[in-house]
């Protein structure tokens, strides 16, 4: 049974195999109608159930299209409309859904809920974002970096702003794929210790945004207020020096690329000039959610890696 709760579940070889598979499958269907299944339809007959306890545009639609292109179908549920939203346990939900569907993707707050889902389910469980991590997003980011012509080992990735779930998965990826992360986060908003420890020396936290971006190959940021967090003016004020603008971008390598998982808060964590500028790969990154999800699904079913 393969669950994809974090990148380490797949390990470096699994991640590399998924990235290679995603690149191949993307190329093989270039120019096709989005709803046309891949020629081999490798997940024909498979049903993916998706549970959302938080909002989503990209994860919802890309997973739905991913399973369709692989020949399968999906059921999308809002947790608030399920008995889960009235107190039925994650364990009981996992056992019941396992009888109906072939895989479960869940987006929730507490990472322990995803772990419980995986523990009690008898089908693969995929983490579609928790407060602790967002591994599916980072698979798309790695794919986008590879497509830009950069190899992962030895890259310098700069992170600006909040020490959040997305950063935790980037740090995990750095450890697995041998690149370096320098995260500039204001005091009080630095990532949790365990994410850094897991990076086995591949990540560094600094206070100065210019130090993080200096000579970077990739510059990444994300919203300053994640889903479920209270809006706080004090946090926005602390984050302002970490805004990715053209002056900060200019400190990175001349061929550096900008990534953002989206949704973006233009004028907060990033300026229009950067996110819409020539170094930004955000639309390819968003599209690659689809191609990455397909390979994650195939990995979960033991078809690759
Ligand atoms: N990046 C991302 O996960 O987007 P959604 O919240 O729209 O799914
Ligand atoms: N850090 C953000 C990512 C959204 C895709 C959040 O958790 O809201």
């Amino acid at each position: 049974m393969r669950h994809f709760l974090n990148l380490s579940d797949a390990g470096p070889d699994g991640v590399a195999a998924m990235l290679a598979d995603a690149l191949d499958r993307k190329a093989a269907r270039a120019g096709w109608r989005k709803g046309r299944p891949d020629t081999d339809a490798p997940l024909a007959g498979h049903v993916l159930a998706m549970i959302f306890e938080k909002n989503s545009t990209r994860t919802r639609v890309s997973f739905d299209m991913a399973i369709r292109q692989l020949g399968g179908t999906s059921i999308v549920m809002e947790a608030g409309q399920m008995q889960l939203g009235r107190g039925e346990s994650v364990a009981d939900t996992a056992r019941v859904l396992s009888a109906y569907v072939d895989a479960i993707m869940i987006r929730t707050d507490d990472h322990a809920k995803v772990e419980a889902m995986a523990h009690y389910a008898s089908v693969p469980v995929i983490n579609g974002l928790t407060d602790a991590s967002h591994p599916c997003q980072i698979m798309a980011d790695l794919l986008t970096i590879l497509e830009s012509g950069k190899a992962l080992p030895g890259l310098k990735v700069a992170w600006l702003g909040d020490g959040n779930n997305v950063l935790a998965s980037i740090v995990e990826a750095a450890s697995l794929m041998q690149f370096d992360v320098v995260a500039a986060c204001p005091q009080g908003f630095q990532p949790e210790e365990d994410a850094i420890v897991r990076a086995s020396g591949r990540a560094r936290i600094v206070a100065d945004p210019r130090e993080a971006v200096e000579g970077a190959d990739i510059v990444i940021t994300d919203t300053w207020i994640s889903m479920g967090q209270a809006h706080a003016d004090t946090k926005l004020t602390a984050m302002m020096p970490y805004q990715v603008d053209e002056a900060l971008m200019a400190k990175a390598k001349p061929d550096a690329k900008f990534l953002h998982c989206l949704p973006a808060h233009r004028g907060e964590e990033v300026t229009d000039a950067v996110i819409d500028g020539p170094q930004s790969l955000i639309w390819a990154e968003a599209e690659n959610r689809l191609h990455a999800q397909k390979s994650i699904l195939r990995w979960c079913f033991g078809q690759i890696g």
Side-chain angles (χ1 to χ4, degrees), residues 167-168 171-172 175 181 183 190-205:
L167 173 60
V171 166
E172 190 181 33
S175 172
V181 178
Q190 298 180 340
E192 284 177 23
E193 192 64 27
D194 76 318
I196 299 310
V197 171
R198 269 189 279 137
S200 326
R202 282 286 179 182
R204 210 154 53 83
I205 310 301

Side-chain angles (χ1 to χ4, degrees), residues 78-302:
E78 303 296 328
Q81 293 169 348
M82 300 171 66
Q83 299 293 6
L84 187 62
R86 296 181 56 245
E88 186 170 17
S89 71
V90 171
D92 288 358
T93 304
R95 287 184 277 226
V96 169
L97 289 183
S98 295
Y100 300 143
V101 302
D102 301 289
I104 301 166
M105 190 234 72
I106 177 166
R107 167 170 285 197
T108 186
D109 43 18
D110 186 356
H111 194 80
K113 289 191 200 172
V114 174
E115 290 175 340
M117 185 69 78
H119 183 77
Y120 290 101
S122 54
V123 298
V125 172
I126 297 170
N127 171 8
L129 178 148
T130 67
D131 290 348
S133 61
H134 195 4
C136 295
Q137 177 66 50
I138 302 316
M139 289 302 299
D141 290 9
L142 299 182
L143 195 54
T144 309
I145 292 169
L146 291 181
E147 277 184 340
S148 78
K150 298 179 193 295
L152 298 177
L155 276 188
K156 179 182 176 184
V157 174
W159 173 271
L160 282 302
D162 197 21
N164 66 13
N165 46 3
V166 175
L167 173 60
S169 289
I170 291 173
V171 166
E172 190 181 33
S175 172
L176 295 174
M177 308 311 283
Q178 306 296 303
F179 60 87
D180 295 298
V181 178
V182 183
C185 310
Q187 199 68 39
F189 302 104
Q190 298 180 340
E192 284 177 23
E193 192 64 27
D194 76 318
I196 299 310
V197 171
R198 269 189 279 137
S200 326
R202 282 286 179 182
R204 210 154 53 83
I205 310 301
V206 299
D208 182 357
R210 286 159 304 190
E211 184 182 343
V213 172
E214 189 75 49
D217 300 283
I218 304 290
V219 177
I220 314 187
T221 189
D222 185 16
T223 181
W224 290 339
I225 312 282
S226 283
M227 290 182 280
Q229 293 179 348
H231 184 93
D233 287 340
T234 47
K235 185 172 184 183
L236 297 186
T237 305
M239 290 288 169
M240 211 55 216
Y242 298 80
Q243 181 187 68
V244 182
D245 60 13
E246 286 173 295
L248 195 57
M249 224 28 227
K251 301 215 170 293
K253 284 189 181 156
D255 69 343
K257 302 299 179 195
F258 174 79
L259 297 179
H260 189 309
C261 66
L262 305 178
H265 299 74
R266 292 160 175 264
E268 292 187 6
E269 72 271 10
V270 62
T271 61
D272 283 336
V274 170
I275 200 167
D276 296 328
Q279 290 167 283
S280 175
L281 297 179
I282 57 159
W283 306 126
E285 181 185 8
E287 179 185 336
N288 281 334
R289 292 298 306 278
L290 165 62
H291 305 292
Q293 318 296 32
K294 291 168 72 174
S295 299
I296 292 166
L297 286 163
R298 271 165 50 72
W299 179 84
C300 284
F301 287 108

